[in-house]
Amino acid sequence: MDGNGRWAGKRGLARAAGHREGGNAVERIVYAAPARGIRRLTLFAFSSENWNRPESEVQVLLELFRRSLRRNVERLHANNVRLRFVGSRAKLSTPLIHEMDAAEKRTASNDAIDLFIAIDYGGRWDIVQAARECARDCVESGTSPDDISESTFESRLALADVPSPDLFIRTGGERRISNFLLWYLAYSELYFCDELWPDFNVESFDRALAWFESRDRRYGRISAVVS
Ligand code: IPE
Ligand code: MG
């Protein structure tokens, strides 16, 4: 979800206004997703690297996140959305963590769509914490590192139990993954568009989905074999 700051800048507004409008775009897309047959949606709300922004902007982002969570949790629940947060919780405030836990609990039995919010998330962080867990397993169980396979490693990742994304969308014109779901994006279709995130609407979303439908996914094989 890139381009909030530029959206505000173009209008002579503070970056915070762009983040607020970005929050409205999040709501538009989240509530539009189930009707489009989407069962899982993962939003990159705050990256491990976003801590390097000025302290005031970090505060704005975290406060908007908290307000949006508070404002939406009952509506998400009413829409049968299951919420889950992914990322390091080490630097988040205790009251925020409590609200995140409560929102996860409140929506735990919903099954229309799984909504993952990546907060203080980094693809490298995820891989490193999985590596640590695997190393710990080896030490504790006395097994050999040679027994670590792609699937045992994957079972230690933050989204171990979740199928990898089919489609990755980045708004705002940059053609980069920027440390999002690195491991899981191995076979995802990558969609980049120039629209700034606050301008991304349901029509933009449908364009991305239509593009996805046109892709031929071979997973290293050739078309005839896959079909
Ligand atoms: C993305 O918009 C918002 C988050 C980091 C959550 P940016 O803040 O990166 O906006 P630009 O790239 O400066 O326009
Ligand atoms: Mg940006």
Side-chain angles (χ1 to χ4, degrees), residues 160-192:
D161 47 336
V162 183
S164 286
D166 293 307
L167 170 62
F168 161 100
I169 299 174
R170 182 180 186 141
T171 62
E174 308 291 356
R175 269 69 177 158
R176 292 194 284 269
I177 291 173
S178 298
N179 202 17
F180 195 28
L181 303 165
L182 297 179
W183 173 278
Y184 320 85
L185 291 175
Y187 286 100
S188 305
E189 298 294 331
L190 305 179
Y191 179 85
F192 299 96

PDB file of all heavy atoms in Angstrom, residues 160-192:
ATOM      1  N   ALA A 160       2.866 -20.083   8.614  1.00  0.00           N
ATOM      2  CA  ALA A 160       3.091 -21.487   8.278  1.00  0.00           C
ATOM      3  C   ALA A 160       1.831 -22.201   7.802  1.00  0.00           C
ATOM      4  O   ALA A 160       1.856 -22.981   6.869  1.00  0.00           O
ATOM      5  CB  ALA A 160       3.646 -22.209   9.496  1.00  0.00           C
ATOM      6  N   ASP A 161       0.739 -21.907   8.444  1.00  0.00           N
ATOM      7  CA  ASP A 161      -0.485 -22.661   8.186  1.00  0.00           C
ATOM      8  C   ASP A 161      -1.328 -22.048   7.073  1.00  0.00           C
ATOM      9  O   ASP A 161      -2.455 -22.464   6.842  1.00  0.00           O
ATOM     10  CB  ASP A 161      -1.306 -22.730   9.480  1.00  0.00           C
ATOM     11  CG  ASP A 161      -1.407 -21.362  10.163  1.00  0.00           C
ATOM     12  OD1 ASP A 161      -0.522 -20.508   9.934  1.00  0.00           O
ATOM     13  OD2 ASP A 161      -2.375 -21.143  10.908  1.00  0.00           O
ATOM     14  N   VAL A 162      -0.779 -21.049   6.384  1.00  0.00           N
ATOM     15  CA  VAL A 162      -1.574 -20.284   5.417  1.00  0.00           C
ATOM     16  C   VAL A 162      -1.030 -20.500   3.999  1.00  0.00           C
ATOM     17  O   VAL A 162       0.173 -20.395   3.797  1.00  0.00           O
ATOM     18  CB  VAL A 162      -1.472 -18.773   5.756  1.00  0.00           C
ATOM     19  CG1 VAL A 162      -2.343 -17.957   4.833  1.00  0.00           C
ATOM     20  CG2 VAL A 162      -1.830 -18.522   7.214  1.00  0.00           C
ATOM     21  N   PRO A 163      -1.886 -20.812   3.031  1.00  0.00           N
ATOM     22  CA  PRO A 163      -1.390 -20.959   1.659  1.00  0.00           C
ATOM     23  C   PRO A 163      -0.718 -19.666   1.169  1.00  0.00           C
ATOM     24  O   PRO A 163      -1.121 -18.576   1.564  1.00  0.00           O
ATOM     25  CB  PRO A 163      -2.659 -21.232   0.845  1.00  0.00           C
ATOM     26  CG  PRO A 163      -3.659 -21.730   1.832  1.00  0.00           C
ATOM     27  CD  PRO A 163      -3.337 -21.057   3.134  1.00  0.00           C
ATOM     28  N   SER A 164       0.301 -19.812   0.341  1.00  0.00           N
ATOM     29  CA  SER A 164       1.009 -18.638  -0.174  1.00  0.00           C
ATOM     30  C   SER A 164       0.092 -17.789  -1.042  1.00  0.00           C
ATOM     31  O   SER A 164      -0.840 -18.295  -1.652  1.00  0.00           O
ATOM     32  CB  SER A 164       2.212 -19.083  -0.993  1.00  0.00           C
ATOM     33  OG  SER A 164       3.224 -19.549  -0.135  1.00  0.00           O
ATOM     34  N   PRO A 165       0.367 -16.485  -1.129  1.00  0.00           N
ATOM     35  CA  PRO A 165      -0.510 -15.609  -1.922  1.00  0.00           C
ATOM     36  C   PRO A 165      -0.436 -15.930  -3.414  1.00  0.00           C
ATOM     37  O   PRO A 165       0.620 -16.245  -3.943  1.00  0.00           O
ATOM     38  CB  PRO A 165       0.031 -14.200  -1.680  1.00  0.00           C
ATOM     39  CG  PRO A 165       1.177 -14.315  -0.770  1.00  0.00           C
ATOM     40  CD  PRO A 165       1.450 -15.746  -0.479  1.00  0.00           C
ATOM     41  N   ASP A 166      -1.572 -15.850  -4.075  1.00  0.00           N
ATOM     42  CA  ASP A 166      -1.606 -15.991  -5.527  1.00  0.00           C
ATOM     43  C   ASP A 166      -1.172 -14.690  -6.190  1.00  0.00           C
ATOM     44  O   ASP A 166      -0.500 -14.697  -7.204  1.00  0.00           O
ATOM     45  CB  ASP A 166      -3.039 -16.315  -5.981  1.00  0.00           C
ATOM     46  CG  ASP A 166      -3.471 -17.688  -5.503  1.00  0.00           C
ATOM     47  OD1 ASP A 166      -2.731 -18.653  -5.779  1.00  0.00           O
ATOM     48  OD2 ASP A 166      -4.527 -17.783  -4.864  1.00  0.00           O
ATOM     49  N   LEU A 167      -1.595 -13.596  -5.597  1.00  0.00           N
ATOM     50  CA  LEU A 167      -1.397 -12.296  -6.232  1.00  0.00           C
ATOM     51  C   LEU A 167      -0.829 -11.300  -5.235  1.00  0.00           C
ATOM     52  O   LEU A 167      -1.302 -11.205  -4.094  1.00  0.00           O
ATOM     53  CB  LEU A 167      -2.754 -11.790  -6.761  1.00  0.00           C
ATOM     54  CG  LEU A 167      -2.847 -10.348  -7.269  1.00  0.00           C
ATOM     55  CD1 LEU A 167      -1.938 -10.120  -8.475  1.00  0.00           C
ATOM     56  CD2 LEU A 167      -4.298 -10.009  -7.627  1.00  0.00           C
ATOM     57  N   PHE A 168       0.194 -10.573  -5.672  1.00  0.00           N
ATOM     58  CA  PHE A 168       0.801  -9.492  -4.893  1.00  0.00           C
ATOM     59  C   PHE A 168       0.485  -8.196  -5.624  1.00  0.00           C
ATOM     60  O   PHE A 168       0.666  -8.115  -6.838  1.00  0.00           O
ATOM     61  CB  PHE A 168       2.312  -9.753  -4.846  1.00  0.00           C
ATOM     62  CG  PHE A 168       3.195  -8.571  -4.498  1.00  0.00           C
ATOM     63  CD1 PHE A 168       3.691  -8.406  -3.214  1.00  0.00           C
ATOM     64  CD2 PHE A 168       3.567  -7.639  -5.464  1.00  0.00           C
ATOM     65  CE1 PHE A 168       4.530  -7.336  -2.903  1.00  0.00           C
ATOM     66  CE2 PHE A 168       4.407  -6.566  -5.148  1.00  0.00           C
ATOM     67  CZ  PHE A 168       4.887  -6.420  -3.863  1.00  0.00           C
ATOM     68  N   ILE A 169      -0.008  -7.208  -4.907  1.00  0.00           N
ATOM     69  CA  ILE A 169      -0.320  -5.909  -5.522  1.00  0.00           C
ATOM     70  C   ILE A 169       0.506  -4.835  -4.842  1.00  0.00           C
ATOM     71  O   ILE A 169       0.503  -4.743  -3.605  1.00  0.00           O
ATOM     72  CB  ILE A 169      -1.825  -5.558  -5.364  1.00  0.00           C
ATOM     73  CG1 ILE A 169      -2.703  -6.608  -6.044  1.00  0.00           C
ATOM     74  CG2 ILE A 169      -2.110  -4.157  -5.900  1.00  0.00           C
ATOM     75  CD1 ILE A 169      -4.214  -6.400  -5.804  1.00  0.00           C
ATOM     76  N   ARG A 170       1.220  -4.035  -5.621  1.00  0.00           N
ATOM     77  CA  ARG A 170       1.882  -2.861  -5.062  1.00  0.00           C
ATOM     78  C   ARG A 170       1.424  -1.630  -5.832  1.00  0.00           C
ATOM     79  O   ARG A 170       1.540  -1.573  -7.052  1.00  0.00           O
ATOM     80  CB  ARG A 170       3.399  -2.954  -5.154  1.00  0.00           C
ATOM     81  CG  ARG A 170       4.051  -1.709  -4.517  1.00  0.00           C
ATOM     82  CD  ARG A 170       5.560  -1.706  -4.554  1.00  0.00           C
ATOM     83  NE  ARG A 170       6.055  -0.553  -3.812  1.00  0.00           N
ATOM     84  CZ  ARG A 170       7.122  -0.559  -3.030  1.00  0.00           C
ATOM     85  NH1 ARG A 170       7.816  -1.658  -2.900  1.00  0.00           N
ATOM     86  NH2 ARG A 170       7.511   0.534  -2.401  1.00  0.00           N
ATOM     87  N   THR A 171       0.920  -0.661  -5.104  1.00  0.00           N
ATOM     88  CA  THR A 171       0.519   0.614  -5.706  1.00  0.00           C
ATOM     89  C   THR A 171       1.693   1.595  -5.613  1.00  0.00           C
ATOM     90  O   THR A 171       2.723   1.289  -5.031  1.00  0.00           O
ATOM     91  CB  THR A 171      -0.684   1.203  -4.951  1.00  0.00           C
ATOM     92  OG1 THR A 171      -0.282   1.460  -3.594  1.00  0.00           O
ATOM     93  CG2 THR A 171      -1.877   0.257  -4.948  1.00  0.00           C
ATOM     94  N   GLY A 172       1.535   2.754  -6.207  1.00  0.00           N
ATOM     95  CA  GLY A 172       2.486   3.848  -5.995  1.00  0.00           C
ATOM     96  C   GLY A 172       3.662   3.886  -6.947  1.00  0.00           C
ATOM     97  O   GLY A 172       4.562   4.706  -6.778  1.00  0.00           O
ATOM     98  N   GLY A 173       3.675   2.981  -7.933  1.00  0.00           N
ATOM     99  CA  GLY A 173       4.638   3.118  -9.026  1.00  0.00           C
ATOM    100  C   GLY A 173       5.981   2.427  -8.861  1.00  0.00           C
ATOM    101  O   GLY A 173       6.695   2.248  -9.839  1.00  0.00           O
ATOM    102  N   GLU A 174       6.377   2.056  -7.640  1.00  0.00           N
ATOM    103  CA  GLU A 174       7.673   1.372  -7.489  1.00  0.00           C
ATOM    104  C   GLU A 174       7.517  -0.100  -7.847  1.00  0.00           C
ATOM    105  O   GLU A 174       6.501  -0.701  -7.554  1.00  0.00           O
ATOM    106  CB  GLU A 174       8.189   1.463  -6.046  1.00  0.00           C
ATOM    107  CG  GLU A 174       8.243   2.849  -5.443  1.00  0.00           C
ATOM    108  CD  GLU A 174       9.305   3.742  -6.087  1.00  0.00           C
ATOM    109  OE1 GLU A 174      10.057   3.249  -6.960  1.00  0.00           O
ATOM    110  OE2 GLU A 174       9.358   4.924  -5.726  1.00  0.00           O
ATOM    111  N   ARG A 175       8.563  -0.653  -8.482  1.00  0.00           N
ATOM    112  CA  ARG A 175       8.548  -2.078  -8.839  1.00  0.00           C
ATOM    113  C   ARG A 175       9.464  -2.821  -7.875  1.00  0.00           C
ATOM    114  O   ARG A 175      10.544  -3.259  -8.255  1.00  0.00           O
ATOM    115  CB  ARG A 175       9.000  -2.257 -10.297  1.00  0.00           C
ATOM    116  CG  ARG A 175       7.897  -2.238 -11.341  1.00  0.00           C
ATOM    117  CD  ARG A 175       7.273  -0.887 -11.511  1.00  0.00           C
ATOM    118  NE  ARG A 175       6.257  -0.886 -12.578  1.00  0.00           N
ATOM    119  CZ  ARG A 175       5.286   0.008 -12.658  1.00  0.00           C
ATOM    120  NH1 ARG A 175       5.157   0.965 -11.743  1.00  0.00           N
ATOM    121  NH2 ARG A 175       4.420  -0.031 -13.646  1.00  0.00           N
ATOM    122  N   ARG A 176       9.070  -2.893  -6.643  1.00  0.00           N
ATOM    123  CA  ARG A 176       9.896  -3.563  -5.629  1.00  0.00           C
ATOM    124  C   ARG A 176       9.001  -4.360  -4.688  1.00  0.00           C
ATOM    125  O   ARG A 176       7.838  -4.019  -4.509  1.00  0.00           O
ATOM    126  CB  ARG A 176      10.627  -2.528  -4.750  1.00  0.00           C
ATOM    127  CG  ARG A 176      11.672  -1.722  -5.410  1.00  0.00           C
ATOM    128  CD  ARG A 176      12.512  -1.009  -4.342  1.00  0.00           C
ATOM    129  NE  ARG A 176      11.835   0.142  -3.759  1.00  0.00           N
ATOM    130  CZ  ARG A 176      11.923   1.393  -4.217  1.00  0.00           C
ATOM    131  NH1 ARG A 176      12.633   1.644  -5.299  1.00  0.00           N
ATOM    132  NH2 ARG A 176      11.288   2.377  -3.617  1.00  0.00           N
ATOM    133  N   ILE A 177       9.619  -5.355  -4.024  1.00  0.00           N
ATOM    134  CA  ILE A 177       8.882  -6.127  -3.013  1.00  0.00           C
ATOM    135  C   ILE A 177       9.092  -5.504  -1.634  1.00  0.00           C
ATOM    136  O   ILE A 177       8.235  -5.632  -0.757  1.00  0.00           O
ATOM    137  CB  ILE A 177       9.312  -7.615  -3.070  1.00  0.00           C
ATOM    138  CG1 ILE A 177       8.799  -8.223  -4.391  1.00  0.00           C
ATOM    139  CG2 ILE A 177       8.773  -8.399  -1.883  1.00  0.00           C
ATOM    140  CD1 ILE A 177       9.279  -9.622  -4.663  1.00  0.00           C
ATOM    141  N   SER A 178      10.229  -4.802  -1.454  1.00  0.00           N
ATOM    142  CA  SER A 178      10.509  -4.086  -0.204  1.00  0.00           C
ATOM    143  C   SER A 178      10.283  -4.928   1.047  1.00  0.00           C
ATOM    144  O   SER A 178       9.626  -4.487   1.996  1.00  0.00           O
ATOM    145  CB  SER A 178       9.683  -2.794  -0.127  1.00  0.00           C
ATOM    146  OG  SER A 178      10.050  -1.936  -1.180  1.00  0.00           O
ATOM    147  N   ASN A 179      10.852  -6.148   1.026  1.00  0.00           N
ATOM    148  CA  ASN A 179      10.865  -6.961   2.251  1.00  0.00           C
ATOM    149  C   ASN A 179       9.467  -7.352   2.740  1.00  0.00           C
ATOM    150  O   ASN A 179       9.243  -7.515   3.929  1.00  0.00           O
ATOM    151  CB  ASN A 179      11.645  -6.220   3.358  1.00  0.00           C
ATOM    152  CG  ASN A 179      12.161  -7.158   4.443  1.00  0.00           C
ATOM    153  OD1 ASN A 179      12.227  -8.369   4.253  1.00  0.00           O
ATOM    154  ND2 ASN A 179      12.503  -6.606   5.591  1.00  0.00           N
ATOM    155  N   PHE A 180       8.532  -7.490   1.810  1.00  0.00           N
ATOM    156  CA  PHE A 180       7.218  -8.020   2.214  1.00  0.00           C
ATOM    157  C   PHE A 180       7.348  -9.539   2.356  1.00  0.00           C
ATOM    158  O   PHE A 180       8.373 -10.001   2.856  1.00  0.00           O
ATOM    159  CB  PHE A 180       6.141  -7.577   1.203  1.00  0.00           C
ATOM    160  CG  PHE A 180       4.713  -7.744   1.689  1.00  0.00           C
ATOM    161  CD1 PHE A 180       4.399  -7.703   3.036  1.00  0.00           C
ATOM    162  CD2 PHE A 180       3.685  -7.934   0.781  1.00  0.00           C
ATOM    163  CE1 PHE A 180       3.081  -7.860   3.478  1.00  0.00           C
ATOM    164  CE2 PHE A 180       2.365  -8.083   1.207  1.00  0.00           C
ATOM    165  CZ  PHE A 180       2.070  -8.047   2.550  1.00  0.00           C
ATOM    166  N   LEU A 181       6.399 -10.313   1.937  1.00  0.00           N
ATOM    167  CA  LEU A 181       6.339 -11.747   2.267  1.00  0.00           C
ATOM    168  C   LEU A 181       7.350 -12.591   1.486  1.00  0.00           C
ATOM    169  O   LEU A 181       6.959 -13.525   0.788  1.00  0.00           O
ATOM    170  CB  LEU A 181       4.929 -12.239   1.946  1.00  0.00           C
ATOM    171  CG  LEU A 181       3.788 -11.506   2.644  1.00  0.00           C
ATOM    172  CD1 LEU A 181       2.463 -11.828   1.972  1.00  0.00           C
ATOM    173  CD2 LEU A 181       3.745 -11.907   4.118  1.00  0.00           C
ATOM    174  N   LEU A 182       8.647 -12.301   1.615  1.00  0.00           N
ATOM    175  CA  LEU A 182       9.654 -12.862   0.708  1.00  0.00           C
ATOM    176  C   LEU A 182       9.499 -14.350   0.407  1.00  0.00           C
ATOM    177  O   LEU A 182       9.392 -14.749  -0.742  1.00  0.00           O
ATOM    178  CB  LEU A 182      11.063 -12.617   1.266  1.00  0.00           C
ATOM    179  CG  LEU A 182      11.467 -11.145   1.396  1.00  0.00           C
ATOM    180  CD1 LEU A 182      12.871 -11.051   1.989  1.00  0.00           C
ATOM    181  CD2 LEU A 182      11.395 -10.440   0.054  1.00  0.00           C
ATOM    182  N   TRP A 183       9.478 -15.154   1.454  1.00  0.00           N
ATOM    183  CA  TRP A 183       9.429 -16.616   1.249  1.00  0.00           C
ATOM    184  C   TRP A 183       8.192 -17.014   0.452  1.00  0.00           C
ATOM    185  O   TRP A 183       8.252 -17.825  -0.474  1.00  0.00           O
ATOM    186  CB  TRP A 183       9.439 -17.317   2.619  1.00  0.00           C
ATOM    187  CG  TRP A 183       9.235 -18.799   2.541  1.00  0.00           C
ATOM    188  CD1 TRP A 183       8.031 -19.448   2.420  1.00  0.00           C
ATOM    189  CD2 TRP A 183      10.238 -19.804   2.547  1.00  0.00           C
ATOM    190  NE1 TRP A 183       8.220 -20.796   2.372  1.00  0.00           N
ATOM    191  CE2 TRP A 183       9.577 -21.051   2.445  1.00  0.00           C
ATOM    192  CE3 TRP A 183      11.635 -19.776   2.649  1.00  0.00           C
ATOM    193  CZ2 TRP A 183      10.264 -22.255   2.435  1.00  0.00           C
ATOM    194  CZ3 TRP A 183      12.312 -20.982   2.637  1.00  0.00           C
ATOM    195  CH2 TRP A 183      11.638 -22.200   2.523  1.00  0.00           C
ATOM    196  N   TYR A 184       7.062 -16.413   0.830  1.00  0.00           N
ATOM    197  CA  TYR A 184       5.769 -16.855   0.295  1.00  0.00           C
ATOM    198  C   TYR A 184       5.485 -16.345  -1.112  1.00  0.00           C
ATOM    199  O   TYR A 184       4.560 -16.800  -1.763  1.00  0.00           O
ATOM    200  CB  TYR A 184       4.624 -16.373   1.201  1.00  0.00           C
ATOM    201  CG  TYR A 184       4.896 -16.465   2.675  1.00  0.00           C
ATOM    202  CD1 TYR A 184       5.562 -15.446   3.346  1.00  0.00           C
ATOM    203  CD2 TYR A 184       4.492 -17.581   3.404  1.00  0.00           C
ATOM    204  CE1 TYR A 184       5.799 -15.520   4.712  1.00  0.00           C
ATOM    205  CE2 TYR A 184       4.724 -17.662   4.768  1.00  0.00           C
ATOM    206  CZ  TYR A 184       5.381 -16.625   5.419  1.00  0.00           C
ATOM    207  OH  TYR A 184       5.617 -16.693   6.765  1.00  0.00           O
ATOM    208  N   LEU A 185       6.270 -15.369  -1.559  1.00  0.00           N
ATOM    209  CA  LEU A 185       5.991 -14.770  -2.873  1.00  0.00           C
ATOM    210  C   LEU A 185       6.691 -15.512  -4.013  1.00  0.00           C
ATOM    211  O   LEU A 185       6.634 -15.073  -5.155  1.00  0.00           O
ATOM    212  CB  LEU A 185       6.424 -13.290  -2.890  1.00  0.00           C
ATOM    213  CG  LEU A 185       5.585 -12.344  -2.016  1.00  0.00           C
ATOM    214  CD1 LEU A 185       6.188 -10.939  -2.023  1.00  0.00           C
ATOM    215  CD2 LEU A 185       4.139 -12.291  -2.504  1.00  0.00           C
ATOM    216  N   ALA A 186       7.320 -16.649  -3.687  1.00  0.00           N
ATOM    217  CA  ALA A 186       8.129 -17.355  -4.690  1.00  0.00           C
ATOM    218  C   ALA A 186       7.365 -17.593  -5.993  1.00  0.00           C
ATOM    219  O   ALA A 186       7.938 -17.478  -7.075  1.00  0.00           O
ATOM    220  CB  ALA A 186       8.638 -18.672  -4.114  1.00  0.00           C
ATOM    221  N   TYR A 187       6.088 -17.914  -5.897  1.00  0.00           N
ATOM    222  CA  TYR A 187       5.308 -18.202  -7.108  1.00  0.00           C
ATOM    223  C   TYR A 187       4.114 -17.267  -7.288  1.00  0.00           C
ATOM    224  O   TYR A 187       3.210 -17.546  -8.084  1.00  0.00           O
ATOM    225  CB  TYR A 187       4.840 -19.664  -7.095  1.00  0.00           C
ATOM    226  CG  TYR A 187       5.980 -20.606  -7.387  1.00  0.00           C
ATOM    227  CD1 TYR A 187       6.637 -21.286  -6.367  1.00  0.00           C
ATOM    228  CD2 TYR A 187       6.438 -20.763  -8.693  1.00  0.00           C
ATOM    229  CE1 TYR A 187       7.713 -22.114  -6.626  1.00  0.00           C
ATOM    230  CE2 TYR A 187       7.519 -21.594  -8.969  1.00  0.00           C
ATOM    231  CZ  TYR A 187       8.151 -22.268  -7.933  1.00  0.00           C
ATOM    232  OH  TYR A 187       9.213 -23.078  -8.209  1.00  0.00           O
ATOM    233  N   SER A 188       4.116 -16.162  -6.559  1.00  0.00           N
ATOM    234  CA  SER A 188       2.985 -15.233  -6.678  1.00  0.00           C
ATOM    235  C   SER A 188       3.102 -14.433  -7.970  1.00  0.00           C
ATOM    236  O   SER A 188       4.205 -14.158  -8.452  1.00  0.00           O
ATOM    237  CB  SER A 188       2.984 -14.251  -5.505  1.00  0.00           C
ATOM    238  OG  SER A 188       2.979 -14.951  -4.286  1.00  0.00           O
ATOM    239  N   GLU A 189       1.971 -14.036  -8.489  1.00  0.00           N
ATOM    240  CA  GLU A 189       1.956 -13.101  -9.608  1.00  0.00           C
ATOM    241  C   GLU A 189       2.158 -11.706  -9.025  1.00  0.00           C
ATOM    242  O   GLU A 189       1.519 -11.336  -8.029  1.00  0.00           O
ATOM    243  CB  GLU A 189       0.612 -13.175 -10.341  1.00  0.00           C
ATOM    244  CG  GLU A 189       0.314 -14.538 -10.948  1.00  0.00           C
ATOM    245  CD  GLU A 189       1.267 -14.908 -12.086  1.00  0.00           C
ATOM    246  OE1 GLU A 189       1.782 -13.997 -12.773  1.00  0.00           O
ATOM    247  OE2 GLU A 189       1.496 -16.122 -12.279  1.00  0.00           O
ATOM    248  N   LEU A 190       3.063 -10.940  -9.631  1.00  0.00           N
ATOM    249  CA  LEU A 190       3.399  -9.616  -9.091  1.00  0.00           C
ATOM    250  C   LEU A 190       2.749  -8.530  -9.938  1.00  0.00           C
ATOM    251  O   LEU A 190       3.018  -8.423 -11.137  1.00  0.00           O
ATOM    252  CB  LEU A 190       4.923  -9.430  -9.075  1.00  0.00           C
ATOM    253  CG  LEU A 190       5.731 -10.516  -8.336  1.00  0.00           C
ATOM    254  CD1 LEU A 190       7.227 -10.218  -8.416  1.00  0.00           C
ATOM    255  CD2 LEU A 190       5.298 -10.648  -6.883  1.00  0.00           C
ATOM    256  N   TYR A 191       1.905  -7.752  -9.318  1.00  0.00           N
ATOM    257  CA  TYR A 191       1.154  -6.712 -10.032  1.00  0.00           C
ATOM    258  C   TYR A 191       1.560  -5.344  -9.488  1.00  0.00           C
ATOM    259  O   TYR A 191       1.464  -5.095  -8.276  1.00  0.00           O
ATOM    260  CB  TYR A 191      -0.335  -6.930  -9.821  1.00  0.00           C
ATOM    261  CG  TYR A 191      -1.235  -5.910 -10.483  1.00  0.00           C
ATOM    262  CD1 TYR A 191      -1.619  -6.054 -11.824  1.00  0.00           C
ATOM    263  CD2 TYR A 191      -1.717  -4.811  -9.771  1.00  0.00           C
ATOM    264  CE1 TYR A 191      -2.462  -5.129 -12.424  1.00  0.00           C
ATOM    265  CE2 TYR A 191      -2.562  -3.881 -10.375  1.00  0.00           C
ATOM    266  CZ  TYR A 191      -2.933  -4.049 -11.706  1.00  0.00           C
ATOM    267  OH  TYR A 191      -3.767  -3.133 -12.294  1.00  0.00           O
ATOM    268  N   PHE A 192       2.028  -4.479 -10.373  1.00  0.00           N
ATOM    269  CA  PHE A 192       2.434  -3.140  -9.960  1.00  0.00           C
ATOM    270  C   PHE A 192       1.578  -2.119 -10.689  1.00  0.00           C
ATOM    271  O   PHE A 192       1.347  -2.264 -11.893  1.00  0.00           O
ATOM    272  CB  PHE A 192       3.905  -2.910 -10.318  1.00  0.00           C
ATOM    273  CG  PHE A 192       4.846  -3.869  -9.627  1.00  0.00           C
ATOM    274  CD1 PHE A 192       5.283  -5.027 -10.268  1.00  0.00           C
ATOM    275  CD2 PHE A 192       5.277  -3.619  -8.329  1.00  0.00           C
ATOM    276  CE1 PHE A 192       6.145  -5.928  -9.629  1.00  0.00           C
ATOM    277  CE2 PHE A 192       6.137  -4.509  -7.684  1.00  0.00           C
ATOM    278  CZ  PHE A 192       6.574  -5.659  -8.325  1.00  0.00           C
TER     279      PHE A 192
END
